[in-house]
């Protein structure tokens, strides 16, 4: 595989993406007093869903079609949920539990 240098579109896009990610951490810490970490995660996920649905609508892509990958997606979701619950249960009574949400 050969690598190419960033072009005139990719370099500023990368910079903007890094700035958005960095700003997200600042906003999350500022909002922590009002909205808990799980609530913030829910809000970010809801915004993400809206963005994906809008993108799919604008590009006329079908994202909710049945294509045979539902079982694998459900299995991955169950594994992710089990991992999150196990992590939460193991850290629930420690001081590290609050910091782990932001990692």
């Amino acid at each position: 595989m050969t690598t190419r240098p960033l072009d005139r579109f990719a370099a500023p896009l990368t910079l903007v993406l890094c700035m958005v990610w960095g700003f997200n951490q600042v906003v999350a810490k500022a909002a922590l007093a009002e909205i808990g970490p799980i609530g913030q995660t829910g809000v970010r996920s809801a915004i993400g869903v809206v963005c994906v649905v809008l993108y799919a609508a604008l590009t006329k892509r079908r994202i909710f079609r049945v294509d045979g990958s539902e079982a694998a997606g459900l299995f991955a979701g169950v594994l992710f949920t089990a991992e999150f619950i196990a992590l939460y249960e193991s850290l629930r009574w420690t001081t590290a539990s609050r910091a782990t949400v932001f990692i």
Side-chain angles (χ1 to χ4, degrees):
M1 173 192 274
T2 60
T3 60
R4 299 180 307 181
L6 292 177
D7 60 12
R8 292 177 189 237
F9 176 73
L13 184 64
T14 303
L15 178 65
V16 169
L17 182 63
C18 290
M19 289 173 60
V20 167
W21 283 344
F23 188 67
N24 181 41
Q25 296 301 317
V26 173
V27 170
K29 286 186 183 246
L32 195 55
E34 299 294 324
I35 303 171
I38 302 301
Q40 289 182 22
T41 302
V43 170
R44 284 194 304 261
S45 296
I47 292 170
V49 166
V50 170
C51 290
V52 168
V53 169
L54 283 174
Y55 172 76
L58 292 173
T59 60
K60 296 185 173 43
R61 293 180 187 224
R62 293 182 54 200
I63 57 174
F64 297 113
R65 66 176 174 208
V66 177
D67 62 357
S69 65
E70 297 81 23
L74 182 62
F75 182 64
V78 168
L79 287 178
F80 178 76
T81 302
E83 177 187 21
F84 183 76
I85 290 171
L87 177 67
Y88 175 75
E89 289 299 321
S90 67
L91 294 174
R92 182 169 38 168
W93 306 111
T94 68
T95 57
S97 63
R98 291 181 181 88
T100 303
V101 174
F102 289 103
I103 294 178

